[in-house]
Amino acid sequence: MTLAMAGISKSFLGVGVLHDVDLDVRAGEVHALVGENGAGKSTLLKVLSGVHQPDAGTIAIDGEERTFANPRHAQDAGVAIIHQEFTLLPERTVAQNVFLGREPVRRGLVDTVAMEHATAALLAEIGETGFGPDAVVRRLSVAQQQVVEIVKALATDARIVAMDEPTAALAEHEVALLTDLVRRLTARGIAVLYVSHRMPEIFALADRITVLKDGARVTTLTAAELEPPTLVRLMVGRPLSAYYPPRATEFGDVRLEVRGGTAPAISGIDLTVRAGEVVGVAGLQGAGRTELLRAIFGADPFTAGDVLLDGRPVRLSSPRRAIAAGVAMVTEDRKAEGLALAQSVRENALLVLHAVFRRRARVGAARTRDLLATVGLRSAGEDQEVRFLSGGNQQKVVLAKWLAADPRVLLLDEPTRGIDVGAKAAVHELVREQAEAGMAVLMVCSELPELIGMSDRICVLHEGRLAGELPAGASEEDVMALATGHGVPHVEVPR
Amino acid sequence: MRTLRDRVGAAAPVFGVLLLLLVAIAVVNPNFLEPASLLAYLKRAAPLAILAVGQYFVIVSGEFDLSVGSLVTVQVVVAARLIDGDESATVPVIVLLIGLGLLVGLVNGLITTRLHVPSFVTTLGMLLVLSGAVFLWTGGAPRGSLSESFREPGRQGIDIPGFGQVPWSALILIAVAAGAAVLMRSAWGHTLVATGDNDRAAALAGVPVERVRTTAFVLSALAATVAAILLGGFAGVSAQVGEGLEFSAITAVVLGGVVLGGGRGSVLAALAGALVLEALFTLLNLLGVSGALESTVQGVIIIAAVAYAARRAGRRRRPPAVPEPSPQPA
Ligand SMILES: Nc1ncnc2c1ncn2[C@@H]1O[C@H](COP(=O)(O)OP(=O)(O)OP(=O)(O)O)[C@@H](O)[C@H]1O
Ligand SMILES: [Mg+2]
C-alpha cells in the first residue's frame, strides 16, 4: 500500500503550522521525517491519522483520495499512528489495550480468551517474549510499552504505520530492539513513516528522508545520498559542529558529595562533583540512575548516607529544601513532572522562582526570557499555554525553569530528550557555560555518545551500586562493560 | 502585548452574561438602574460572592469545599447564642468566629493534604459534623439574638457623598475582591494555580503543595465567616441560614469559567459568576417564578456550565468520562 500526501496545509487559530507539504511513503519502505522542534512533524502525522483535518491538501492511499474526519476513519483505511505521547491505559492488560474500542464480542460479552489469543499471536509474530497478553501495562518498561503500541497498530491490520519519536524514551539497547521490529514491519510490506531526532537510527533505518523546516518541506532525498552533517545543515539551516563543547581543564572545590547514599533502589553510593565539573551517570534501565538523582534532590530522599554541599552536611528531605539549598533537577518525564500544562510558558519558566525565591521573581522574568532565547524556544509568545508547544519546545521550557533558579548543583535526567540537534548543541553549550561559572553538574543520559561527549568523568551504576568510575573520553565499550556488571570492580578513590 | 481578550480569556462569557442579565432586569423593572436598587442588589449578592471567592481558591487548587454552607449556619447560630443581645459581647464573639473559621479551614486542609482523604469526602464529612453540632446545640431552634452592632455590616450602610447610602456589604465585597485579585497576582497565587494544574510538577519545583492547599481551605473558611456575619445581619438567625450555600458557591465558580479539577480560571470571574447567579434569581423573582425553583435552576446551570467548559476543552483534549471530584496526590 502506498501513501501520498499532497499540498497539506494546516493552521491553528490563524498561525500556519504546515505549508503545502508533499510526502509519499511506499510499501516496505521506511520514510524518515526530520526537522527542528516545532517544524510540524507531529502535526503532519496527526493530519494523516485523522486527529486534525487539513485546511488544504489531499491524502491518497493506493491512488485513491481519502478524507479522515477522525482517527477511526484513518484506522479503517489501514493507517495507524504511534503518538509522541503514550496513549495506553496503564491499569489494563496488554490485550485490553491492544483491542481497546474493538473488543471481540461473543454472545454479547467481551471474548477475553479470543482477545488474549490474538494478542499472543501478534506478540509471537514480532518475536516479543518478554511479556504476555495478560501483563498489566503499568508494570512494563517504557520500551515494552512502545512494543504494545506497535502491536496495537498491527492488530488493526495497519498497512501504513506512522511513529512519532518512538525511541525518545528508550535506552540504547532498547533502541536496537525497536529498530529490529521496524525492519520486520517493512519486511511484511508495511509502509513506515518515522519521526526521530536521533541521527544514528535515522541512517540505520531510513530509505528516504524528508526534511521539514518551519512547516514547509525542504527536500526529500534517499538516505544513501545524505551524510549526517548535510542532513543537520538542511534541518537547522546552518552547519553545526559535530563536537561537544570543550571540557573544563580545571575544577574548583567539591560542591556535591554523597557518602554511602542508600535508598530503596540504590545502595552505598559514594560520589563527588566539583565546581565546574560535568559528571555523567551511566547504567542500564533500572540501574538506579533516576533514583540516585531523585534521592539527592529530596524527591525520594536517601534512607541512609550523607549529602554534603560545599563541604557542609545538609539534609535535603524535600525538593523545596534542596532547591533552597541551591540544587536543581530537570526531571525525566516532562508531562507528568516537569510542566503545568495549562499554564503559560512564562508561568512555567518562573515557577521555581515563585515557589522558592519570591524576591527574585521580578528580576527573573528578564533572565528567563534570555534563557528561552538561548535554548531556541519556538512559541507563539510567552503567554502561550505549554500544552500547545511541540514536545521538544516543552523540554526547553523545563530547562529554562531550572536554570532561572541559578543553582549551585544541577541534576539533569535525560535533559535533551526529544529536542532537535540544533537545540541539543545549544543545551550542551549552556550546560558547559554554567559549569564554567562554577556549577556542579550531574547528568543522566541514555544516549551514550552524548553522555561520553559531555562528561568530565562517568560514574557507572549497576543494579543500584556504583560499578566504577571512568575518566573523560572513555569508550562506549568500557561504559557498557561496567553497566552490565562485567567491568573492573570499583576502586575507592582516595580523597 | 496581552490583549484584553487574552487577559479575560475563558472568563469573558461570564461578564457578557452578567451584562445581559442586568439589562434584562432593567427592561422588566426600569427602577433597577437607580443607584439605590443596584446597591441593594450588590448587598444581596455580597455573601454569595464572598463565598465564591473563597471557594475559588479551593477549586483552582484542585479541591472542593462543601463545608462552607453549614459553617455559615454554625457561625450565625453560635454568634446569636453567645451574644444574646449583649452589645459588649460583639467584638469578642467576632474574634471567636474568626478563630472557629480558621480552625475549620485548617482541619479541612490538613485532613485533605496530610491524610490524603479526597477533599470531596473531607468537607462533606465536615458539613455533616457541623450541621449535627448545630442541631445538637440548638435542639432545632436557635436561641439568643444578635446585637445591633453585629447586624450593622449586614444591613446598614455608610453615607458617601454622591452615592447616597452605600451598604457595608458592598464595600466589604469590593475589599474582598481587591484583596483576592492582588493575592492571585502574588507569587503565592501563581503557585496555587500551578498546584491545581499539576501538583507533582509543582512539588518538584519547590511549591509547598500541602501548605498551599491548606491555606486555600483556610481562606475559604474565612470567607464563610465574613459571609456569616453579613448574612446574620441581613437574613437574621435561623438554623437554615447557610443551607445550600456550598452548592451556590460552587455553581458561581463554575459559571465563572473556573475548571473543576483545578489549574484554570480567574478569581474575578468566579465572583462575577456569583453576581450572575444573584441576578438570575432577581430576574426570576421579577418574572414571578416561584423561589422554590431556585435549586432546580442552579442544578441546570451547574450542569450546563460544566458541559460548556468540557465542550470547549474537548476540541483539543477529550474530557474524562467521569469528572474527578478531587484529584489526589499519589
Ligand atoms: N493544537 C494546537 N494549537 C496551537 N498550536 C499548535 C497545536 N498543535 C501544534 N501547534 C503548534 O504547531 C507547531 C508544530 O508543532 P509539532 O508538534 O507538529 O512540532 P514537531 O515538529 O513535532 O516538534 P517536536 O520535534 O518538538 O516534537 C508548534 O509551533 C506548535 O506550537
Ligand atoms: Mg513532535
Side-chain angles (χ1 to χ4, degrees):
Chain A
M1 209 144 59
T2 59
L3 164 77
M5 302 176 82
I8 302 285
S9 295
K10 175 74 190 169
S11 54
F12 292 108
L13 306 168
V15 183
V17 170
L18 292 173
H19 311 282
D20 197 13
V21 176
D22 298 335
L23 184 91
D24 69 293
V25 192
R26 301 167 196 149
E29 164 190 64
V30 176
H31 193 144
L33 181 61
V34 300
E36 294 176 286
N37 296 132
K41 304 179 295 294
S42 297
T43 307
L44 186 64
L45 262 58
K46 286 178 186 162
V47 166
L48 169 63
S49 63
V51 175
H52 295 316
Q53 280 64 53
D55 301 337
T58 56
I59 302 174
I61 291 177
D62 284 338
E64 190 189 330
E65 211 172 286
R66 310 293 291 259
T67 52
F68 303 138
N70 57 47
R72 191 59 187 258
H73 284 175
Q75 226 177 55
D76 293 343
V79 178
I81 180 168
I82 293 159
H83 287 284
Q84 193 165 1
E85 281 83 41
F86 280 119
T87 54
L88 298 177
L89 303 178
E91 300 297 334
R92 310 209 146 213
T93 65
V94 171
Q96 283 168 340
N97 269 286
V98 166
F99 282 96
L100 184 72
R102 300 172 299 104
E103 292 82 358
V105 175
R106 208 169 136 232
R107 286 198 232 110
L109 298 176
V110 172
D111 189 348
T112 314
V113 178
M115 212 160 80
E116 296 202 346
H117 272 312
T119 308
L122 285 168
L123 286 172
E125 202 174 318
I126 61 167
E128 174 61 60
T129 51
F131 60 93
D134 55 350
V136 175
V137 162
R138 182 170 43 85
R139 290 188 218 278
L140 301 180
S141 74
V142 183
Q144 289 173 324
Q145 295 186 11
Q146 198 64 260
V147 172
V148 177
E149 292 269 11
I150 292 168
V151 170
K152 199 172 151 184
L154 293 180
T156 62
D157 277 325
R159 304 301 296 162
I160 296 161
V161 175
M163 303 186 186
D164 200 351
E165 302 192 33
T167 53
L170 300 190
E172 207 92 342
H173 64 285
E174 296 171 325
V175 173
L177 292 178
L178 189 98
T179 48
D180 273 353
L181 181 51
V182 171
R183 287 207 187 89
R184 242 171 283 160
L185 297 184
T186 51
R188 288 173 42 163
I190 291 175
V192 176
L193 183 56
Y194 193 90
V195 176
S196 177
H197 289 293
R198 294 191 175 187
M199 289 295 145
E201 75 199 35
I202 292 171
F203 281 94
L205 278 175
D207 298 299
R208 287 187 300 153
I209 301 175
T210 289
V211 180
L212 219 53
K213 186 162 175 52
D214 299 327
R217 189 178 65 115
V218 178
T219 182
T220 300
L221 293 166
T222 61
E225 291 173 81
L226 277 168
E227 293 289 325
T230 325
L231 182 59
V232 168
R233 190 168 44 74
L234 287 171
M235 284 165 60
V236 185
R238 64 193 153 85
L240 212 60
S241 151
Y243 302 106
Y244 291 89
R247 294 194 174 87
T249 44
E250 54 189 81
F251 308 118
D253 295 334
V254 173
R255 282 234 113 136
L256 169 71
E257 180 168 0
V258 177
R259 288 185 192 156
T262 300
I266 45 179
S267 63
I269 306 275
D270 294 312
L271 167 103
T272 58
V273 189
R274 295 168 176 277
E277 195 178 21
V278 177
V279 174
V281 180
L284 302 180
Q285 197 104 42
R289 295 168 301 171
T290 294
E291 287 79 359
L292 173 63
L293 262 52
R294 288 180 67 92
I296 297 172
F297 190 54
D300 302 309
F302 288 117
T303 50
D306 300 304
V307 177
L308 290 83
L309 283 183
D310 288 324
R312 265 184 309 185
V314 284
R315 264 185 53 75
L316 306 180
S317 54
S318 72
R320 186 171 170 79
R321 293 243 165 81
I323 294 165
V327 183
M329 175 165 173
V330 172
T331 46
E332 188 177 16
D333 184 344
R334 58 177 168 255
K335 281 260 158 69
E337 306 198 310
L339 295 168
L341 288 169
Q343 311 305 311
S344 66
V345 169
R346 187 193 303 107
E347 284 301 318
N348 272 285
L350 288 175
L351 185 56
V352 175
L353 298 185
H354 278 147
V356 187
F357 307 108
R358 297 191 173 181
R359 281 205 198 96
R360 273 164 42 197
R362 218 165 272 275
V363 232
R367 167 115 172 94
T368 47
R369 206 162 300 140
D370 287 349
L371 284 167
L372 290 170
T374 309
V375 292
L377 179 82
R378 295 204 177 187
S379 70
E382 285 185 23
D383 289 316
Q384 192 174 27
E385 290 179 23
V386 294
R387 67 192 170 119
F388 294 134
L389 295 184
S390 76
N393 282 307
Q394 291 178 342
Q395 185 67 18
K396 295 172 187 172
V397 175
V398 176
L399 280 167
K401 168 173 91 169
W402 288 110
L403 290 175
D406 281 321
R408 288 188 284 172
V409 173
L410 179 62
L411 309 172
L412 299 169
D413 198 357
E414 309 283 2
T416 56
R417 173 175 289 178
I419 71 180
D420 65 54
V421 278
K424 227 176 232 189
V427 168
H428 293 155
E429 258 162 49
L430 195 62
V431 167
R432 260 301 158 204
E433 246 169 55
Q434 302 287 322
E436 261 162 37
M439 200 183 282
V441 182
L442 192 61
M443 168 167 150
V444 169
C445 176
S446 290
E447 281 181 71
L448 267 189
E450 184 180 348
L451 188 78
I452 292 168
M454 279 300 292
S455 302
D456 297 311
R457 190 151 51 88
I458 299 176
C459 296
V460 187
L461 297 184
H462 173 64
E463 292 181 354
R465 296 179 172 276
L466 197 58
E469 279 191 15
L470 295 166
S475 72
E476 289 189 34
E477 288 73 28
D478 290 347
V479 176
M480 283 314 284
L482 283 172
T484 49
H486 298 301
V488 281
H490 173 56
V491 191
E492 277 291 321
V493 186
R495 306 200 166 81
Chain B
M1 279 172 299
R2 298 178 79 182
T3 61
L4 188 66
R5 212 190 123 132
D6 281 345
R7 276 173 197 271
V8 183
V14 76
F15 294 107
V17 171
L18 180 60
L19 207 67
L20 231 97
L21 278 169
L22 294 181
V23 169
I25 297 174
V27 169
V28 181
N29 173 16
N31 290 340
F32 182 71
L33 290 181
E34 280 168 24
S37 59
L38 271 177
L39 286 171
Y41 156 74
L42 268 188
K43 179 171 158 182
R44 272 198 313 281
L48 180 58
I50 290 167
L51 281 175
V53 168
Q55 190 71 240
Y56 165 83
F57 293 124
V58 177
I59 288 185
V60 87
S61 84
E63 306 287 348
F64 278 98
D65 189 353
L66 298 179
S67 67
V68 289
S70 55
L71 180 57
V72 165
T73 307
V74 166
Q75 304 274 44
V76 170
V77 169
V78 166
R81 176 122 176 207
L82 293 185
I83 293 177
D84 203 9
D86 178 5
E87 288 296 329
S88 65
T90 308
V91 172
V93 166
I94 288 182
V95 171
L96 184 90
L97 295 187
I98 293 173
L100 183 63
L102 277 173
L103 182 72
V104 169
L106 208 59
V107 170
N108 277 338
L110 291 179
I111 291 181
T112 303
T113 59
R114 304 285 154 154
L115 303 184
H116 303 294
V117 176
S119 57
F120 187 76
V121 174
T122 309
T123 58
L124 188 63
M126 182 60 82
L127 178 159
L128 295 173
V129 167
L130 290 177
S131 46
V134 167
F135 193 79
L136 187 72
W137 213 46
T138 58
R143 272 168 283 165
S145 62
L146 298 170
S147 61
E148 266 317 302
S149 41
F150 188 96
R151 306 178 71 162
E152 166 126 12
R155 41 171 51 183
Q156 307 302 329
I158 177 174
D159 280 317
I160 296 182
F163 287 92
Q165 201 172 76
V166 178
W168 285 114
S169 303
L171 294 176
I172 292 172
L173 175 59
I174 290 167
V176 166
V182 170
L183 196 54
M184 287 316 292
R185 305 203 69 162
S186 72
W188 183 83
H190 292 269
T191 59
L192 180 77
V193 182
T195 298
D197 189 349
N198 183 347
D199 53 7
R200 258 171 90 194
L204 285 169
V207 176
V209 165
E210 301 181 347
R211 204 195 311 161
V212 165
R213 280 206 169 115
T214 304
T215 309
F217 280 104
V218 168
L219 288 173
S220 175
L222 286 179
T225 306
V226 175
I229 293 172
L230 297 184
L231 275 173
F234 181 72
V237 182
S238 84
Q240 284 79 42
V241 56
E243 219 172 65
L245 280 181
E246 62 282 335
F247 286 109
S248 305
I250 293 172
T251 309
V253 172
V254 169
L255 264 178
V258 180
V259 173
L260 297 180
R264 277 161 178 284
S266 95
V267 66
L268 293 183
L271 192 149
L275 297 182
V276 165
L277 211 55
E278 191 58 44
L280 194 65
F281 294 151
T282 306
L283 184 64
L284 292 179
N285 196 20
L286 279 174
L287 295 176
V289 177
S290 155
L293 268 181
E294 275 192 9
S295 74
T296 309
V297 168
Q298 265 187 53
V300 171
I301 287 179
I302 194 163
I303 293 172
V306 172
Y308 175 72
R311 251 184 85 83
R312 276 161 61 114
R315 306 242 164 256
R316 309 208 162 79
R317 192 177 49 177
R318 216 158 37 110
V322 184
E324 273 166 68
S326 168
Q328 281 301 304

